Amino acid sequence: MRSGAVAGIQDMGAAGLTSSSCEMAARANTGIELDLSLVPQREQGMTAYEMLLSESQERMLIVAHSGREREVVEIFSKWDLDAVVIGRVRDTGRMQVIHNGETVADIPVSLLTDEAPKYQRPMAAPSPKSKVQRPTSGSNMGAELGSSDSDKDQRPKAQDQNHNNDLLKLLSTPNIASKHWVYRQYDHMVRTNTAVLPGADAAVVRIKETRRGLAMTLDGNGRYCALKPREGAKLIVAEAARNVVCVGARPLAVTNCLNFASPEKPEVMWSFSEVIDGMAEACKVFNTPVVSGNVSFYNETDGKGILPTPVIGMIGLVEDVRRVVQQGFKQEGDHIALLGTTADDLSISEYANSVAGPSIQEGEAVPRLDLDLEFKVQQVCLEAAEAGLLQSAHDCSDGGIAVALAESCFSSLNRSGIGADVEMTGSLPSATLLFSESPSRIIISFAESAREAIEDIARLKGCPFAILGKVGGARLRIKTVTATVIDSDVEQLENAWRTSLSKKLQAEAMAAGRE
């Protein structure tokens, strides 16, 4: 691109060469001519139909300025990559395809783009009394979401007590535990460009020859979308933006993978439509256009579909990688503070799912997202990060504040971990204070010298700000106004978080071998 030889470029996704070619022609109001005989092939004897629709990966379609084709080919050759001229831009407004000297397609571009068929499938919200399949862990596998009166009596009992075992159990659940068993099997250094390694709120990759970096994150939550797909989608977009902000990046754009059961079922089509609307609403607030995406339907086995599971991928820009923020506490004596507020959002949380058991009340379970508050919280964190005021920042999501604090303790630069003493106030029960999954919350830490500046930023933005405690010691201690509710050794917490996934996978592999 720096050579100036490229007039246009598009990746090849769904429908491969067909989509990329006709979409580029449509945007330019031109025609396009392709000779499939020139396309590099991995198989012999491929038909034109197969070549046009193949979704082979690692391919892009480039339109080079006339006369500069060889320059493009030489640049690709320098990097041991293939680039082949396979066609020309025409002024016909038609897509013309030739294979072995024969014209196999000749059709107006507009019929493939502007005038493509549109389906209006029946949509209907699920009945209030209907139950939605819900994945849970352990002995609760196969439980369902419903709105029966008995659910109201099954809400998690949240009294002041010692929650050490609860926190250990949460850190060991697959949704929260370290995924290093997976990502250590792959190259995550990317030619030594990786500035923030996997395991943080977002990964950061340097843009060489600049001080900038790109932050990337993936988020999804099928439980939220099963009950309220529109609100669930908004929450996922907000969390993705929050994760990018937590490493000091400004959110730029979104891609997605939208996974659903059969769209021929009215309730599935309704949830799909609701997810799209919720995603759009949140993206407008964060100014993050959806630049690409993928939809996967008919995800069913024996007539049972998956939960509506949109996955949001967000990218952000770090202006100066020297100011990148990570989630681990850094220095003894640093202040720990909370941006945002905690509400009673325990009923569909990971705590309810893994510790207290299913306890869902239809219509009240999904946390309410205030997009205005979310934006304020993110702006305060981002401004403080860009000013070099933060030692750490970490999103509060699955498992609530207690899990976020624990992860901050053992994700530090200190290999032995570093503890924290925290005091939480408020009238909510201790389990709610610790494990509620209210959105729009970020745990930050900073030196005493930065406190006044951060407080000023929060006040000017109208963002809730509360000092929770200080970094220090080798234990995580959390107190409420009435009791010490968590007092755990950081090393023990980290061991549970770091090893539980591999242990579970090994146990399942052994069990499968015995069968």
Side-chain angles (χ1 to χ4, degrees), residues 131-459:
K131 291 187 175 183
V132 182
Q133 184 181 356
R134 165 184 182 233
T136 59
S137 59
S139 60
N140 295 322
M141 188 65 71
E144 296 179 324
L145 300 179
S147 58
S148 65
D149 291 338
S150 62
D151 287 335
K152 300 175 184 179
D153 300 326
Q154 295 174 3
R155 292 175 65 84
K157 300 299 186 293
Q159 306 298 324
D160 281 324
Q161 56 181 303
N162 184 297
H163 291 281
N164 291 337
N165 289 334
D166 294 344
L167 179 56
L168 277 170
K169 188 171 183 179
L170 280 171
L171 291 171
S172 302
T173 61
N175 279 343
I176 293 175
S178 170
K179 311 303 186 294
H180 84 283
W181 182 88
V182 178
Y183 63 70
R184 71 177 181 178
Q185 301 180 50
Y186 302 90
D187 173 22
H188 49 266
M189 291 307 298
V190 195
R191 292 180 178 266
T192 71
N193 287 338
T194 305
V196 176
L197 297 173
D201 288 293
V204 178
V205 177
R206 297 180 185 89
I207 304 175
K208 285 201 170 178
E209 301 177 20
T210 76
R211 288 183 177 176
R212 290 179 163 184
L214 292 176
M216 294 162 278
T217 187
L218 284 170
D219 284 285
N221 194 315
R223 291 199 308 274
Y224 288 177
C225 291
L227 285 184
K228 285 192 173 182
R230 184 186 295 240
E231 293 303 311
K234 288 160 59 175
L235 285 160
I236 296 169
V237 174
E239 182 176 351
R242 201 181 316 131
N243 284 338
V244 166
V245 164
C246 280
V247 296
R250 191 172 301 276
L252 290 183
V254 162
T255 186
N256 61 61
C257 182
L258 310 179
N259 308 284
F260 292 82
S262 171
E264 297 171 29
K265 297 177 180 178
E267 65 274 13
V268 173
M269 193 63 201
W270 173 82
S271 66
F272 175 66
S273 177
E274 288 287 287
V275 161
I276 296 296
D277 290 342
M279 185 168 59
E281 183 180 343
C283 285
K284 288 177 182 177
V285 171
F286 303 120
N287 194 27
T288 51
V290 181
V291 298
S292 65
N294 175 56
V295 179
S296 177
F297 281 129
Y298 299 98
N299 292 285
E300 298 186 351
T301 302
D302 297 330
K304 292 183 179 180
I306 65 167
L307 300 180
T309 312
V311 178
I312 299 296
M314 185 170 289
I315 193 167
L317 180 65
V318 180
E319 289 292 348
D320 189 341
V321 291
R322 297 174 300 177
R323 294 284 174 86
V324 162
V325 179
Q326 298 192 45
Q327 66 193 51
F329 294 143
K330 303 298 187 301
Q331 296 182 23
E332 298 260 352
D334 281 347
H335 291 289
I336 302 169
L338 174 68
L339 302 176
T341 57
T342 301
D344 186 359
D345 293 309
L346 200 64
S347 61
I348 197 172
S349 64
E350 190 66 31
Y351 174 83
N353 188 57
S354 302
V355 177
S359 52
I360 307 301
Q361 183 175 347
E362 178 76 28
E364 296 182 4
V366 176
R368 189 183 72 85
L369 175 65
D370 182 337
L371 283 168
D372 181 61
L373 173 61
E374 178 73 46
F375 188 74
K376 290 177 180 177
V377 168
Q378 292 187 21
Q379 289 301 299
V380 170
C381 183
L382 185 59
E383 188 170 328
E386 291 179 337
L389 299 173
L390 299 182
Q391 293 279 43
S392 70
H394 190 21
D395 165 43
C396 292
S397 54
D398 291 342
I401 285 179
V403 167
L405 287 168
E407 291 173 337
S408 298
C409 286
F410 47 70
S411 294
S412 67
L413 298 177
N414 186 339
R415 291 186 179 181
S416 62
I418 187 170
D421 279 291
V422 169
E423 183 170 347
M424 302 180 67
T425 60
S427 58
L428 295 171
S430 60
T432 305
L433 287 171
L434 293 171
F435 308 120
S436 172
E437 294 181 4
S438 300
S440 313
R441 296 182 301 164
I442 297 175
I443 295 286
I444 59 174
S445 69
F446 47 89
E448 170 63 29
S449 59
R451 176 172 178 172
E452 184 177 351
I454 295 174
E455 288 177 338
D456 287 344
I457 294 172
R459 183 175 62 256

Side-chain angles (χ1 to χ4, degrees), residues 71-82:
E71 187 177 351
V72 171
V73 171
E74 289 175 349
I75 292 171
F76 272 70
S77 178
K78 171 185 174 182
W79 294 95
D80 295 326
L81 296 170
D82 293 321

